[in-house]
Amino acid sequence: MLQPAANSSKEAVISKLKQRGERLTIQRLLVIDALCTLGGHQTVHDIHQHLHQHSTDLTEPTIYRILQWLKDAETVSQTDLGHSGIVYELLGTNRHHHLVCLSCGAVIDVDDSVMASLREHLRQEYGFEPRIDHMAVFGMCRACHNQQ
Amino acid sequence: MLQPAANSSKEAVISKLKQRGERLTIQRLLVIDALCTLGGHQTVHDIHQHLHQHSTDLTEPTIYRILQWLKDAETVSQTDLGHSGIVYELLGTNRHHHLVCLSCGAVIDVDDSVMASLREHLRQEYGFEPRIDHMAVFGMCRACHNQQ
DNA sequence: GTCGGTGCAAAAGCTTTGCAAACCG
DNA sequence: CGGTTTGCAAAGCTTTTGCACCGAC
């Protein structure tokens, strides 16, 4: 199976962080590399395991700290998918969101365009600059809703 | 200070649950009463403390179980407000959402109408029945955004 | 009376923290 | 070199679970 199109090239992420004057350690580069290689959203545990399989064993606290740092640098999103846990993803060109079915647990991808009007509304009505990077919306998928 | 208008009267909640054939125990009634009295969104800890002050000491596991039950019965919403923790609120007529500032932590109320277009979009484009009861949107409030 | 809910205590996560050693720039 | 970051180990906190007893209907 083909790898899904990478959201961000490793190089682009790194140069962005350098421009911000961020400090780049081996461990930070490893986490960025893991996120690029795995593609899509990943849990802390996923990242830890991936690194372990490549015989580079960062501790989980370190991974938490690095993800927090990437989040502060507006380079990864953090999303609570409910039962699927908290996931992290590099912010790139392929911005999208998820619908999570409360009944069957399905996770459906949706395009960022569904958020355009909400974003505009919050900016104009409330002067609020939303950071809707990777949102999870809960509800019932078509199949479960019909069944019920 | 005036109590904010109750979202739901205790009686309305109870009759709804009875209609659904739900079993009503003293503990369940106490949690519903606490949510009505306190008004607005509350953490598990808030509810526990409120009951404690009224010399009725439910254990926290029981409160978790009751809130889960109320959630399944579509009678309370559950929202993760970030640093302010996970909060529960009775679903009533006064449906609203929150903007949470990532910089100063401010929590701003917004009317449910901001979600109308998103809800419609998800229903029509994806056949998904969203349950956007009480959502938290993260970002920067006007003041913090201007400062930066 | 029966099925389901609660209390208690304990465990299970997941995430954070403190400190000494290592390292980036 | 100086200030940061990491590793390690440990604690913290919220939430869940098992089981015997109790209570609603």
Side-chain angles (χ1 to χ4, degrees), chain A residues 30-32 34-36 38-52 58-68 70 76-90 98 107 134:
Chain A
L30 283 167
V31 170
I32 293 166
L35 285 170
C36 286
L38 290 168
H41 52 248
Q42 304 294 335
T43 63
V44 168
H45 186 246
D46 293 335
I47 296 168
H48 187 241
Q49 269 207 318
H50 173 84
L51 292 172
H52 184 71
L58 303 198
T59 64
E60 294 212 340
T62 297
I63 296 172
Y64 277 105
R65 285 185 282 217
I66 291 173
L67 289 170
Q68 181 62 55
L70 285 168
V76 304
S77 62
Q78 181 187 42
T79 310
D80 186 350
L81 289 182
H83 291 305
S84 308
I86 293 176
V87 295
Y88 298 84
E89 178 164 4
L90 284 172
H98 294 288
V107 176
H134 189 217

Coordinates of all heavy atoms in Angstrom, one line a residue, chain A residues 30-32 34-36 38-52 58-68 70 76-90 98 107 134, chain C residues 13-15:
Chain A
L30 N 14.6 13.0 16.0 CA 14.0 11.7 15.9 C 12.5 11.7 16.0 O 11.8 10.9 15.3 CB 14.6 10.8 17.1 CG 16.0 10.3 16.9 CD1 16.6 9.7 18.2 CD2 16.0 9.3 15.8
V31 N 11.9 12.5 16.9 CA 10.5 12.6 17.0 C 9.9 13.2 15.7 O 8.9 12.6 15.2 CB 10.0 13.4 18.2 CG1 8.5 13.7 18.2 CG2 10.4 12.7 19.5
I32 N 10.5 14.2 15.2 CA 10.0 14.8 13.9 C 10.1 13.7 12.8 O 9.2 13.6 12.0 CB 10.9 16.0 13.6 CG1 10.6 17.1 14.6 CG2 10.5 16.5 12.1 CD1 11.6 18.3 14.5
A34 N 10.0 10.5 13.1 CA 9.0 9.5 13.3 C 7.6 10.0 12.8 O 6.9 9.2 12.2 CB 8.9 9.1 14.8
L35 N 7.3 11.2 13.2 CA 6.0 11.7 12.7 C 5.9 11.8 11.2 O 4.9 11.5 10.6 CB 5.8 13.1 13.3 CG 5.4 13.1 14.8 CD1 5.4 14.5 15.4 CD2 4.0 12.5 15.0
C36 N 7.0 12.2 10.5 CA 7.0 12.2 9.1 C 6.9 10.8 8.5 O 6.1 10.6 7.6 CB 8.3 12.8 8.6 SG 8.5 14.6 8.8
L38 N 5.8 8.0 9.9 CA 4.5 7.3 10.2 C 3.4 8.0 9.4 O 2.5 7.3 8.9 CB 4.2 7.3 11.7 CG 5.1 6.5 12.5 CD1 5.0 6.8 14.0 CD2 4.8 5.0 12.3
G39 N 3.4 9.3 9.3 CA 2.4 10.0 8.6 C 1.1 10.0 9.4 O 0.9 9.1 10.2
G40 N 0.3 11.0 9.3 CA -1.0 11.1 10.0 C -0.8 11.2 11.5 O 0.2 11.6 11.9
H41 N -1.9 11.0 12.2 CA -1.8 11.3 13.6 C -1.4 10.1 14.4 O -1.7 8.9 14.1 CB -3.2 11.8 14.2 CG -4.3 11.0 13.8 ND1 -5.3 11.4 12.9 CD2 -4.7 9.7 14.2 CE1 -6.2 10.4 12.8 NE2 -5.9 9.4 13.6
Q42 N -0.7 10.3 15.5 CA 0.0 9.2 16.2 C -0.2 9.5 17.7 O -0.1 10.7 18.1 CB 1.4 9.1 15.9 CG 1.7 8.9 14.4 CD 1.2 7.6 13.9 OE1 1.1 6.6 14.6 NE2 0.9 7.5 12.6
T43 N -0.2 8.5 18.5 CA -0.2 8.6 20.0 C 1.2 8.7 20.4 O 2.2 8.3 19.7 CB -0.9 7.5 20.7 OG1 -0.2 6.3 20.4 CG2 -2.4 7.3 20.2
V44 N 1.4 9.1 21.7 CA 2.8 9.1 22.3 C 3.3 7.6 22.2 O 4.5 7.4 21.9 CB 2.7 9.6 23.7 CG1 4.0 9.3 24.5 CG2 2.4 11.1 23.8
H45 N 2.4 6.7 22.5 CA 2.8 5.3 22.5 C 3.3 4.8 21.2 O 4.2 4.1 21.0 CB 1.6 4.5 23.0 CG 2.0 3.0 23.2 ND1 1.4 2.0 22.5 CD2 2.9 2.4 24.1 CE1 1.9 0.9 22.8 NE2 2.8 1.1 23.8
D46 N 2.5 5.2 20.1 CA 2.9 4.9 18.7 C 4.3 5.4 18.4 O 5.1 4.6 17.9 CB 2.0 5.6 17.7 CG 0.6 5.1 17.8 OD1 0.4 3.9 18.2 OD2 -0.3 5.8 17.4
I47 N 4.6 6.6 18.8 CA 5.9 7.2 18.5 C 7.0 6.5 19.2 O 8.1 6.1 18.7 CB 5.9 8.7 18.9 CG1 4.9 9.5 18.0 CG2 7.3 9.3 18.7 CD1 4.6 10.9 18.5
H48 N 6.7 6.2 20.5 CA 7.7 5.5 21.3 C 8.0 4.1 20.7 O 9.2 3.7 20.6 CB 7.1 5.3 22.7 CG 8.1 4.7 23.7 ND1 7.8 3.5 24.4 CD2 9.3 5.2 24.1 CE1 8.8 3.3 25.2 NE2 9.7 4.2 25.0
Q49 N 7.0 3.4 20.3 CA 7.2 2.1 19.7 C 7.9 2.1 18.4 O 8.8 1.3 18.2 CB 5.8 1.4 19.5 CG 5.4 0.6 20.7 CD 4.5 -0.5 20.3 OE1 3.6 -0.4 19.4 NE2 4.7 -1.7 20.8
H50 N 7.6 3.1 17.6 CA 8.3 3.2 16.3 C 9.8 3.5 16.5 O 10.6 2.8 15.9 CB 7.7 4.4 15.5 CG 8.4 4.7 14.3 ND1 8.2 4.1 13.1 CD2 9.4 5.6 14.0 CE1 9.0 4.6 12.2 NE2 9.8 5.5 12.7
L51 N 10.1 4.3 17.5 CA 11.5 4.6 17.8 C 12.2 3.4 18.3 O 13.3 3.1 18.0 CB 11.6 5.8 18.7 CG 11.2 7.1 18.1 CD1 11.2 8.2 19.2 CD2 12.1 7.5 17.0
H52 N 11.5 2.7 19.2 CA 12.0 1.4 19.8 C 12.4 0.4 18.7 O 13.4 -0.2 18.8 CB 11.0 0.9 20.7 CG 11.5 -0.3 21.5 ND1 12.4 -0.3 22.5 CD2 11.2 -1.7 21.3 CE1 12.7 -1.5 22.9 NE2 11.9 -2.3 22.2
L58 N 14.0 6.7 23.1 CA 13.7 7.8 23.9 C 12.7 7.4 25.0 O 11.9 6.5 24.8 CB 13.0 8.9 23.1 CG 13.7 9.4 21.9 CD1 13.1 10.8 21.5 CD2 15.2 9.6 22.2
T59 N 12.8 8.0 26.2 CA 11.8 7.7 27.2 C 10.5 8.4 26.9 O 10.5 9.5 26.2 CB 12.3 8.1 28.6 OG1 12.4 9.6 28.6 CG2 13.7 7.5 28.9
E60 N 9.4 7.9 27.5 CA 8.1 8.6 27.2 C 8.1 10.0 27.7 O 7.6 10.9 27.0 CB 6.9 7.7 27.7 CG 6.8 6.4 26.9 CD 5.4 5.9 26.8 OE1 4.5 6.3 27.5 OE2 5.2 5.1 25.9
P61 N 8.6 10.3 28.9 CA 8.6 11.7 29.4 C 9.2 12.6 28.3 O 8.8 13.7 28.1 CB 9.4 11.7 30.7 CG 9.1 10.3 31.2 CD 9.0 9.4 30.0
T62 N 10.3 12.2 27.7 CA 11.0 13.0 26.7 C 10.1 13.2 25.5 O 10.0 14.4 25.0 CB 12.3 12.3 26.3 OG1 13.2 12.2 27.4 CG2 13.0 13.1 25.2
I63 N 9.4 12.2 25.1 CA 8.5 12.4 24.0 C 7.4 13.4 24.3 O 7.0 14.2 23.5 CB 7.9 11.0 23.5 CG1 9.0 10.1 23.1 CG2 6.9 11.2 22.4 CD1 8.7 8.7 22.8
Y64 N 6.8 13.3 25.5 CA 5.8 14.2 26.0 C 6.4 15.7 25.9 O 5.7 16.6 25.4 CB 5.3 13.9 27.4 CG 4.3 12.9 27.5 CD1 4.6 11.6 27.9 CD2 3.0 13.2 27.1 CE1 3.6 10.6 28.0 CE2 2.0 12.2 27.2 CZ 2.3 10.9 27.7 OH 1.3 9.9 27.7
R65 N 7.6 15.8 26.4 CA 8.2 17.2 26.4 C 8.4 17.7 25.0 O 8.2 18.9 24.7 CB 9.5 17.2 27.2 CG 9.2 17.1 28.7 CD 10.5 17.2 29.6 NE 11.2 15.9 29.6 CZ 11.8 15.5 30.7 NH1 11.8 16.1 31.8 NH2 12.5 14.3 30.6
I66 N 8.8 16.8 24.1 CA 9.1 17.3 22.8 C 7.8 17.6 22.0 O 7.7 18.6 21.3 CB 9.9 16.2 22.0 CG1 11.3 16.1 22.6 CG2 9.9 16.5 20.5 CD1 12.2 15.0 22.1
L67 N 6.8 16.8 22.3 CA 5.5 17.1 21.6 C 4.9 18.4 22.2 O 4.3 19.2 21.4 CB 4.5 16.0 21.8 CG 4.8 14.7 21.0 CD1 4.0 13.5 21.5 CD2 4.7 14.9 19.5
Q68 N 5.1 18.7 23.4 CA 4.6 19.9 24.0 C 5.3 21.1 23.4 O 4.7 22.1 23.0 CB 4.8 19.9 25.5 CG 4.3 21.2 26.3 CD 2.8 21.4 26.1 OE1 2.1 20.5 26.4 NE2 2.4 22.5 25.6
L70 N 6.7 21.1 20.4 CA 6.3 21.3 19.0 C 4.9 21.9 18.9 O 4.6 22.7 18.0 CB 6.2 19.9 18.3 CG 7.6 19.3 17.9 CD1 7.4 17.8 17.5 CD2 8.2 20.1 16.8
V76 N 2.9 21.0 15.7 CA 2.0 19.9 15.7 C 0.7 20.2 16.3 O 0.5 21.2 17.1 CB 2.6 18.7 16.5 CG1 3.9 18.2 16.0 CG2 2.6 18.9 18.0
S77 N -0.4 19.5 15.9 CA -1.7 19.6 16.5 C -1.8 18.5 17.5 O -1.2 17.5 17.4 CB -2.8 19.5 15.5 OG -2.7 18.2 14.9
Q78 N -2.7 18.7 18.5 CA -3.0 17.7 19.5 C -4.5 17.6 19.5 O -5.2 18.6 19.6 CB -2.6 18.2 20.9 CG -2.8 17.2 22.0 CD -2.5 17.8 23.3 OE1 -2.8 19.0 23.6 NE2 -1.9 17.0 24.2
T79 N -5.0 16.3 19.4 CA -6.4 16.1 19.3 C -6.9 14.9 20.2 O -6.2 13.9 20.1 CB -6.8 15.8 17.8 OG1 -6.3 16.7 17.0 CG2 -8.3 15.7 17.6
D80 N -7.9 15.1 20.9 CA -8.5 14.1 21.7 C -9.6 13.3 20.9 O -10.6 13.9 20.6 CB -9.1 14.7 23.0 CG -9.6 13.6 23.9 OD1 -9.6 12.4 23.5 OD2 -9.9 13.9 25.1
L81 N -9.3 12.1 20.5 CA -10.2 11.3 19.7 C -11.1 10.5 20.5 O -11.7 9.5 20.0 CB -9.5 10.5 18.7 CG -8.7 11.2 17.5 CD1 -8.1 10.1 16.6 CD2 -9.7 12.0 16.7
G82 N -11.3 10.8 21.8 CA -12.1 10.0 22.7 C -11.5 8.6 23.0 O -10.3 8.6 23.5
H83 N -12.2 7.5 22.7 CA -11.6 6.2 23.0 C -10.3 5.9 22.3 O -9.6 5.1 22.8 CB -12.7 5.1 22.7 CG -13.8 5.2 23.7 ND1 -13.7 5.1 25.0 CD2 -15.1 5.3 23.4 CE1 -14.9 5.2 25.6 NE2 -15.8 5.4 24.6
S84 N -10.1 6.6 21.2 CA -8.8 6.3 20.5 C -7.6 7.1 21.1 O -6.5 7.0 20.6 CB -9.0 6.7 19.0 OG -10.1 6.0 18.5
G85 N -7.9 7.9 22.1 CA -6.8 8.5 22.8 C -6.4 9.9 22.2 O -7.1 10.4 21.3
I86 N -5.3 10.4 22.8 CA -4.8 11.7 22.3 C -3.8 11.5 21.3 O -2.8 10.8 21.5 CB -4.3 12.5 23.5 CG1 -5.5 12.9 24.5 CG2 -3.6 13.8 23.1 CD1 -5.1 13.6 25.7
V87 N -4.0 12.2 20.1 CA -3.1 12.0 19.0 C -2.4 13.3 18.6 O -3.0 14.4 18.8 CB -3.8 11.4 17.8 CG1 -4.3 10.0 18.1 CG2 -4.9 12.3 17.3
Y88 N -1.2 13.2 18.0 CA -0.4 14.3 17.6 C -0.2 14.2 16.1 O 0.0 13.1 15.6 CB 0.9 14.4 18.3 CG 0.7 14.5 19.8 CD1 0.4 13.4 20.6 CD2 0.7 15.8 20.4 CE1 0.2 13.6 22.0 CE2 0.5 15.9 21.8 CZ 0.3 14.8 22.6 OH 0.1 15.0 23.9
E89 N -0.1 15.3 15.4 CA 0.2 15.3 13.9 C 0.9 16.5 13.5 O 0.6 17.6 14.0 CB -1.2 15.1 13.2 CG -1.0 15.1 11.7 CD -2.2 14.6 10.9 OE1 -3.3 14.3 11.6 OE2 -2.1 14.5 9.7
L90 N 1.8 16.4 12.6 CA 2.5 17.5 12.1 C 1.5 18.4 11.3 O 0.7 17.9 10.5 CB 3.7 17.1 11.1 CG 4.9 16.6 11.8 CD1 5.9 16.0 10.8 CD2 5.6 17.7 12.6
H98 N -11.8 15.3 12.0 CA -12.3 14.0 12.1 C -13.7 14.0 12.7 O -14.0 14.8 13.6 CB -11.4 13.1 13.0 CG -10.1 12.8 12.3 ND1 -10.0 12.0 11.2 CD2 -8.9 13.3 12.6 CE1 -8.7 12.0 10.9 NE2 -8.0 12.8 11.7
V107 N -13.8 6.5 12.8 CA -13.2 7.9 12.7 C -13.1 8.3 11.2 O -12.5 7.6 10.4 CB -11.7 7.9 13.2 CG1 -11.1 9.2 13.0 CG2 -11.8 7.5 14.7
H134 N -7.0 20.6 14.1 CA -7.2 19.2 13.9 C -8.3 18.8 14.9 O -8.0 18.4 16.0 CB -5.9 18.4 14.1 CG -6.0 16.9 13.7 ND1 -5.3 16.0 14.4 CD2 -6.6 16.3 12.7 CE1 -5.6 14.8 13.9 NE2 -6.3 15.0 12.8
Chain C
dG13 P -3.7 -0.6 32.1 OP1 -4.6 -0.3 31.0 OP2 -3.2 -2.0 32.3 O5' -2.4 0.3 31.9 C5' -2.4 1.6 32.5 C4' -3.4 2.5 31.8 O4' -4.0 3.3 32.9 C3' -2.7 3.6 31.0 O3' -3.5 4.0 29.9 C2' -2.4 4.7 31.9 C1' -3.4 4.5 33.0 N9 -2.7 4.5 34.3 C8 -1.9 3.6 34.9 N7 -1.5 3.9 36.1 C5 -2.1 5.2 36.3 C6 -1.9 6.0 37.4 O6 -1.3 5.9 38.5 N1 -2.7 7.2 37.2 C2 -3.4 7.5 36.1 N2 -4.0 8.7 36.1 N3 -3.5 6.7 35.1 C4 -2.8 5.6 35.2
dC14 P -2.7 4.4 28.6 OP1 -3.6 4.1 27.5 OP2 -1.3 3.9 28.7 O5' -2.5 6.0 28.6 C5' -3.6 6.8 29.1 C4' -3.0 8.0 29.8 O4' -2.5 7.6 31.1 C3' -1.9 8.7 29.1 O3' -2.4 10.1 28.9 C2' -0.7 8.7 30.1 C1' -1.4 8.4 31.4 N1 -0.6 7.8 32.5 C2 -0.6 8.5 33.7 O2 -1.2 9.5 33.9 N3 0.1 7.9 34.8 C4 0.8 6.7 34.5 N4 1.4 6.2 35.6 C5 0.7 6.1 33.3 C6 0.0 6.6 32.3
dT15 P -1.7 11.1 27.9 OP1 -2.7 11.9 27.3 OP2 -0.7 10.3 27.1 O5' -0.9 12.0 29.0 C5' -1.6 12.6 30.0 C4' -0.7 13.1 31.1 O4' -0.1 12.1 31.8 C3' 0.5 14.0 30.5 O3' 0.3 15.3 30.9 C2' 1.7 13.3 31.1 C1' 1.1 12.5 32.3 N1 1.9 11.3 32.7 C2 2.4 11.2 34.0 O2 2.2 12.1 34.8 N3 3.1 10.1 34.3 C4 3.3 9.0 33.4 O4 4.0 8.1 33.8 C5 2.8 9.2 32.1 C7 3.1 8.1 31.1 C6 2.1 10.3 31.8

